[in-house]
Amino acid sequence: MGFTLKTENSLGEKMFITTLSSGAKCYIIPKYGFGKSEAVVSFRYGSADLRFEAFGERRTSPKGTAHFIEHKMFEKEGGNFFADFIAGDADTNAFTDFNKTAYYFSCKDNFEENFERLLKMVGSVYLTDENVEHEKGIIGQEIAMYDDDPNWIVYFNMLKRLYKKHPVRDVIAGTQETLKTIDVDDLKAAFDAFYVPENMRIVVCGDVEYEKISQIAESVIEPKVNGARRAAIKEPMDIGRNYISDSMELSKSVFNLGFKLEPEEMGIKKVYGTKMLLDIIAGESSYLYGKLLKSGLLDESMALQYLWGRRLSLAVIMGKSDAPKDVANCIAREIEKLKKNGINAESFRRAKKKHMGRFIRGFNSIDAICMAQTELAVMDCDLFDAFDMIKNMEKEYLEELLMDFDKFTAVLSVVK
Amino acid sequence: MFKTYEINQGIRLHYLKDSKFKTNTIAVFIRTKLSVENATKTALVAECIKGGCKKYVTKQNIAVVLEEMYGSVFDVSVIKRGDEQIIYTYFEGIRGYDVFEKSVEFLGDVLYSSIIKGSALKKAKKSLKESIEAVRDDKGEYAVEKMIEKMCGQKDSFGVPALGYSKEVDGIDEDTLDKHYNHLMTSAPMDIFIVGDGDEDNVGERFKEIFSGARCNIEEIKHSEYISSSDKPQVFLENQQLNQGKLCICYSTGLKAEKKSLMGLMVLNEILGGGANGRLFLQVREKEGLCYSIGSFVFKHKMLLVVQAGIDKKAYDKVVGLVENAVNDIKKEIDEKAVEEGKKGIIKAYQGIGDTPVERINFAFSMTLLGLELEPEEFMEEIKKVTALQVAEAAKALKSEIIYFLK
């Protein structure tokens, strides 16, 4: 088995990367002196992958299918894998987002045994009519929980207005109505199509021997044909109405201002460049935040997010304000000003320092390393690629990205 | 292990040298008695500290200097632990580039030259009121807060909200707040925890210089257990038109927060609601499908156990019944196997306690507050020693005090 060894001397870290004979890709980051090690196994199959063709059949999954599979993965005939991980002294969990579904565990002892368990668990899914109906009760409560969360509501309201066709507009777990329609056949079809080694990314971090880890993965993962083709997402750049408002009787309105960006040329440079750019526009040290703070339109700083994926490039600025429309107008004006005058060199210098420092800080935590690498593995990149991007980022590139921010493809979502 | 020494009257420095991290982390805990009279003032002082100081007048100014320190993280919050209200100031910055030296100076500036007047105070008041009112927006947190408030009433200061009371904020004038700020900096006990890679003596000397202000009449803070006063649990239903009901049930034990009984209660908590292996999870979620999240946790100083769940509103009676059954079953009998699994569950959680600086610090501080002075390995050894009898004693002591349902 061949490995690529990558090192980042300034961080004192290294990573072993290999592709298994089945097509699954492994990223192994040794780290010593910590209490626990962690492994994440993810599949490049998320809530947005609803329409596909596999084994000669075209399918449209009900919304929430990927998330439902995630729930069922822990069940097996006569029991569940939770109990097995607990017996192996490991903590385990999973999550689904737009691009992927990830299953992970952490433990101090029995790492190899638990790793093998995780790999075997995701190799099949135990589905019966009865256990699917039973899970609907649990997921129904999860959906209800999110329906009471203003941060969830404001976000998905924004997505619905920004995207006319892209499945990102649909809530990850689905709705109470779509939940009812999911059956064994839907789940099995999606599982067979997407849970294949070529879609699989394995990230391991901790006190591990990289050769042993990859040997286990090589021996456990069974080859499967990757027969799925995702349907193309044809999403126009124009948006619906640019404002949406909902009421939940909050103490203060929450807002999300989303900028729909061109999804072409998606890559790691764009991801890290856009994150840095958002910080320069609206971060805590920005001229804009200072102005909004002084005027009383904002108190707490805004949260900044860049969301990317298949035909997806979205920058979101989130905050709380009694006058969110005024805040949004200020943000739009600031962006136009920056487009006209360029980014201040001092702001850029500081932002680069900040992003370097925060990236280094991420290497404190085995979990943070695993999650960040899992995210990058979707586009077959690694953390050291990301660090290079940050270190070598140029102001002119950010100014290019800025040109794509257009108030006519932006939506303000508010929950009061 | 942390090395502890007093750098000024009532100010202790705890230093842990750990070379595996990429950052140096400093946490300053300013401790005071939680009381109706002072809670709002203390929370307002924290807001002023966060908002700026003589050198860095606004939050934006602070953000600029943090960026120059390679994106260092700084935050000030107010927490409550038992009968204490604590201003928790946190700083974390990467190693090298003189960041640590700058961070110590920065902390001195923000803590000792806070602006307690004029527009800065006005902004701080607005922020505090918004923070207090925002608790209502996180339904899970709100349900727990209201439950504690109702349960404790006037008789136990644990019922006082960590951020104080919104209606009091505007009435606090500059002089009163300034006096309170000076009182805290002069007389509140302080614990400073550092996880770093610097020379211990140099670090100690530097912090001694920064925290060298006048100190006297150091406050003595005593913790007391919650004392039950009613035979039947209170029941509160609050209607907020939610999609999902938030259920909180609080049990008192009347036990003293000492090592033996605390460990017994912690193992009991793990058996009952400690995660995917907990009885509540298995019964209410996996078997009955009535919830997505359910679990329990312990307020250690008050030796209270809280069950918390998000449930279908229509299932309220059934879930309350299932929880009661689970508790009654545990009171009747606890087998050795359950105790061993409970112990394993806790140990598993604590095995990673040294894996991030903030968890290591929070653990050490919680031990300090409880007067236990245990390292993580020692703590795990104590858990291993817990017997079925200790757990049974904790179970028998459980008494339902209040059921709070937000729907």
Side-chain angles (χ1 to χ4, degrees):
Chain A
M1 197 183 305
F3 291 90
T4 303
L5 166 61
K6 290 186 88 166
T7 58
E8 178 54 61
N9 292 327
S10 65
L11 288 174
E13 301 286 349
K14 58 182 163 199
M15 184 185 306
F16 296 90
I17 305 173
T18 186
T19 303
L20 304 175
S21 61
S22 57
K25 203 162 173 182
C26 290
Y27 299 81
I28 301 161
I29 304 115
K31 223 155 154 58
Y32 306 107
F34 288 77
K36 291 187 177 187
S37 304
E38 184 167 329
V40 186
V41 173
S42 60
F43 290 86
R44 295 188 301 181
Y45 166 60
S47 66
D49 295 308
L50 294 174
R51 291 172 52 234
F52 61 94
E53 189 178 317
F55 310 111
E57 199 186 345
R58 277 191 187 171
R59 307 245 358 175
T60 301
S61 302
K63 293 161 193 173
T65 295
H67 173 259
F68 207 114
I69 293 174
E70 179 224 305
H71 267 244
K72 291 323 297 172
M73 194 60 71
F74 286 90
E75 193 163 343
K76 59 180 182 176
E77 198 164 356
N80 65 69
F81 284 99
F82 279 126
D84 296 345
F85 278 107
I86 286 165
D89 296 325
D91 283 316
T92 183
N93 213 329
F95 66 87
T96 307
D97 64 26
F98 301 118
N99 299 320
K100 64 186 178 296
T101 311
Y103 304 86
Y104 56 100
F105 77 88
S106 64
C107 66
K108 178 174 184 286
D109 303 312
N110 314 316
F111 188 85
E112 289 170 9
E113 172 200 313
N114 286 312
F115 182 56
E116 193 172 328
R117 180 172 289 125
L118 182 66
L119 292 171
K120 283 182 173 162
M121 183 180 91
V122 300
S124 63
V125 64
Y126 177 61
L127 299 167
T128 66
D129 290 332
E130 196 192 342
N131 76 15
V132 165
E133 282 311 301
H134 180 71
E135 200 68 34
K136 287 181 184 179
I138 296 168
I139 296 176
Q141 281 311 304
E142 187 179 354
I143 292 171
M145 181 181 77
Y146 292 131
D147 285 343
D148 286 328
D149 184 347
N151 296 309
W152 194 260
I153 298 294
V154 75
Y155 189 71
F156 277 95
N157 280 356
M158 174 195 66
L159 291 175
K160 277 191 166 35
R161 279 290 158 82
L162 278 168
Y163 293 93
K164 292 180 172 175
K165 293 185 180 177
H166 198 299
V168 74
R169 70 194 310 276
D170 298 314
V171 183
I172 293 167
T175 64
Q176 302 288 2
E177 290 68 37
T178 64
L179 185 63
K180 288 177 194 159
T181 67
I182 294 177
D183 62 24
V184 171
D185 182 59
D186 293 317
L187 299 169
K188 190 165 187 316
F191 177 84
D192 289 341
F194 290 107
Y195 275 70
V196 297
E198 257 188 59
N199 273 344
M200 208 169 166
R201 297 294 177 265
I202 299 163
V203 177
V204 174
C205 181
D207 191 347
V208 296
E209 290 171 32
Y210 70 94
E211 280 170 323
K212 188 77 183 116
I213 290 298
S214 41
Q215 269 162 20
I216 293 171
E218 182 68 45
S219 68
V220 172
I221 298 169
E222 287 171 11
K224 280 186 196 175
V225 171
N226 182 11
R229 231 170 28 117
R230 292 171 170 84
I233 296 174
K234 294 185 177 114
E235 173 66 34
M237 267 309 286
D238 62 294
I239 59 171
R241 277 193 61 211
N242 65 2
Y243 178 74
I244 178 168
S245 164
D246 219 328
S247 180
M248 291 176 81
E249 293 179 17
L250 299 180
S251 61
K252 193 164 194 171
S253 299
V254 295
F255 69 86
N256 281 188
L257 178 63
F259 289 87
K260 189 173 181 178
L261 306 172
E262 279 290 347
E264 308 301 333
E265 295 171 23
M266 181 52 62
I268 194 169
K269 190 176 179 187
K270 192 167 186 172
V271 171
Y272 283 90
T274 311
K275 288 182 184 192
M276 201 180 288
L277 175 61
L278 275 171
D279 218 347
I280 290 170
I281 295 169
E284 289 167 298
S285 71
S286 64
Y287 167 77
L288 172 68
Y289 175 58
K291 192 171 147 194
L292 291 168
L293 191 62
K294 195 170 175 189
S295 66
L297 284 173
L298 272 188
D299 175 46
E300 292 297 323
S301 56
M302 294 176 281
L304 309 167
Q305 184 201 64
Y306 179 60
L307 184 65
W308 60 270
R310 204 159 58 97
R311 302 296 303 163
L312 178 64
S313 180
L314 171 65
V316 190
I317 300 173
M318 310 169 181
K320 289 184 181 181
S321 174
D322 291 324
K325 278 186 178 174
D326 292 343
V327 174
N329 287 332
C330 280
I331 295 171
R333 279 198 295 273
E334 178 65 15
I335 288 171
E336 292 309 309
K337 194 181 99 191
L338 286 170
K339 280 180 183 178
K340 190 177 160 197
N341 301 333
I343 290 171
N344 174 271
E346 184 60 18
S347 302
F348 172 71
R349 182 190 64 79
R350 277 201 327 264
K352 200 164 165 176
K353 256 178 135 174
K354 175 183 175 181
H355 282 247
M356 275 179 62
R358 290 286 173 101
F359 190 90
I360 293 168
R361 179 175 174 247
F363 271 84
N364 260 1
S365 158
I366 283 181
D367 182 62
I369 291 169
C370 281
M371 292 306 163
Q373 179 55 60
T374 297
E375 176 83 4
L376 291 171
V378 173
M379 58 163 100
D380 286 327
C381 292
D382 61 71
L383 288 166
F384 298 159
D385 296 330
F387 196 42
D388 280 337
M389 287 297 149
I390 294 170
K391 283 189 289 183
N392 298 317
M393 196 61 67
E394 287 167 351
K395 185 168 86 82
E396 292 70 29
Y397 178 67
L398 300 193
E399 284 165 346
E400 263 178 56
L401 291 176
L402 184 60
M403 292 305 157
D404 201 16
F405 280 69
D406 184 346
K407 65 181 179 189
F408 296 108
T409 50
V411 165
L412 175 66
S413 171
V414 176
V415 172
K416 301 181 197 176
Chain B
M1 94 186 233
F2 280 95
K3 285 194 183 153
T4 299
Y5 39 102
E6 206 172 30
I7 58 171
N8 198 342
Q9 200 184 349
I11 303 182
R12 292 183 298 189
L13 185 75
H14 312 263
Y15 183 68
L16 175 66
K17 190 159 177 158
D18 193 333
S19 57
K20 69 174 176 280
F21 296 119
K22 305 290 188 213
T23 57
N24 291 314
T25 305
I26 306 164
V28 180
F29 297 92
I30 302 173
R31 302 162 58 180
T32 188
K33 178 103 177 71
L34 179 61
S35 68
V36 170
E37 298 77 27
N38 290 324
T40 315
K41 284 186 284 192
T42 299
L44 190 51
V45 166
E47 206 58 60
C48 290
I49 292 172
K50 195 172 167 182
C53 60
K54 286 196 177 105
K55 202 166 173 185
Y56 314 111
V57 175
T58 66
K59 283 179 183 174
Q60 189 212 6
N61 296 153
I62 288 177
V64 167
V65 76
L66 291 173
E67 276 188 359
E68 291 287 10
M69 290 195 270
Y70 287 88
S72 293
V73 174
F74 166 69
D75 192 30
V76 184
S77 57
V78 183
I79 56 176
K80 78 176 173 186
R81 294 288 182 268
D83 293 291
E84 285 194 37
Q85 186 185 19
I86 300 156
I87 298 177
Y88 180 172
T89 303
Y90 180 86
F91 184 98
E92 190 182 356
I94 61 168
R95 292 180 180 177
Y97 306 99
D98 293 329
V99 170
F100 186 71
E101 174 53 40
K102 289 175 188 162
S103 69
V104 183
E105 203 179 310
F106 170 82
L107 276 174
D109 288 327
V110 296
L111 286 172
Y112 280 99
S113 62
S114 203
I115 305 173
I116 311 279
K117 59 185 180 178
S119 61
L121 179 57
K122 205 172 155 196
K123 270 200 174 21
K125 284 183 175 182
K126 187 170 178 260
S127 289
L128 179 59
K129 281 194 293 186
E130 284 170 5
S131 296
I132 293 169
E133 278 144 33
V135 172
R136 199 174 184 279
D137 298 338
D138 179 336
K139 303 304 177 189
E141 191 189 337
Y142 174 81
V144 174
E145 285 283 321
K146 291 307 280 186
M147 178 191 70
I148 296 296
E149 223 176 298
K150 295 279 184 203
M151 191 179 85
C152 293
Q154 299 290 320
K155 61 183 165 83
D156 193 316
S157 61
F158 189 55
V160 177
L163 297 180
Y165 305 96
S166 185
K167 61 182 192 290
E168 288 183 1
V169 176
D170 286 334
I172 300 172
D173 61 64
E174 284 179 12
D175 280 343
T176 304
L177 194 65
D178 197 50
K179 275 195 183 86
H180 190 67
Y181 167 57
N182 284 313
H183 164 74
L184 289 173
M185 299 315 285
T186 323
S187 305
M190 292 190 201
D191 283 281
I192 304 166
F193 286 82
I194 303 169
V195 177
D197 68 341
D199 175 72
E200 186 188 315
D201 291 333
N202 288 346
V203 169
E205 282 308 308
R206 197 69 190 97
F207 272 82
K208 234 182 194 166
E209 283 168 24
I210 296 292
F211 286 82
S212 59
R215 301 275 295 169
C216 63
N217 304 323
I218 307 302
E219 199 181 338
E220 203 185 319
I221 308 170
K222 286 197 175 108
H223 287 268
S224 57
E225 291 74 39
Y226 176 81
I227 302 197
S228 177
S229 55
S230 61
D231 293 326
K232 275 171 68 171
Q234 304 174 68
V235 179
F236 286 94
L237 307 176
E238 183 177 342
N239 195 352
Q240 285 191 14
Q241 311 286 343
L242 302 184
N243 290 289
Q244 184 192 59
K246 311 292 184 212
L247 176 67
C248 294
I249 305 176
C250 187
Y251 296 86
S252 66
T253 60
L255 299 170
K256 276 195 162 320
E258 292 165 336
K259 189 161 68 179
K260 203 171 160 205
S261 46
L262 175 63
M263 301 291 170
L265 183 59
M266 287 185 68
V267 174
L268 173 69
N269 175 65
E270 184 71 20
I271 295 168
L272 188 63
N277 211 27
R279 291 192 183 179
L280 294 173
F281 188 93
L282 292 170
Q283 280 289 316
V284 184
R285 173 174 151 152
E286 294 300 292
K287 190 174 169 208
E288 301 287 342
L290 290 174
C291 67
Y292 169 67
S293 66
I294 186 164
S296 61
F297 63 90
V298 170
F299 283 121
K300 294 185 183 76
H301 294 93
K302 294 292 172 182
M303 297 297 275
L304 299 169
L305 185 145
V306 177
V307 171
Q308 194 178 17
I311 64 170
D312 187 336
K313 290 189 281 190
K314 296 191 287 291
Y316 167 76
D317 288 320
K318 188 160 188 195
V319 175
V320 169
L322 285 169
V323 172
E324 262 175 33
N325 289 345
V327 170
N328 287 337
D329 286 346
I330 261 184
K331 276 169 177 279
K332 281 186 212 142
E333 190 190 0
I334 299 234
D335 60 42
E336 291 282 352
K337 183 167 176 259
V339 172
E340 288 311 305
E341 281 174 1
K343 282 156 58 169
K344 265 179 83 176
I346 295 174
I347 287 166
K348 199 171 54 172
Y350 280 84
Q351 278 169 343
I353 213 83
D355 284 356
T356 62
V358 67
E359 282 182 323
R360 186 65 186 85
I361 285 172
N362 288 345
F363 174 82
F365 182 58
S366 75
M367 289 295 108
T368 299
L369 280 179
L370 289 163
L372 287 182
E373 309 294 343
L374 293 171
E375 292 296 304
E377 298 73 25
E378 291 166 330
F379 177 86
M380 287 188 270
E381 284 304 312
E382 290 297 328
I383 289 287
K384 280 181 194 167
K385 289 185 215 164
V386 169
T387 62
L389 183 61
Q390 270 171 271
V391 179
E393 277 170 6
K396 283 190 173 68
L398 286 179
K399 182 180 170 201
S400 176
E401 294 287 337
I402 183 169
I403 300 171
Y404 194 93
F405 191 52
L406 183 67
K407 60 187 178 111

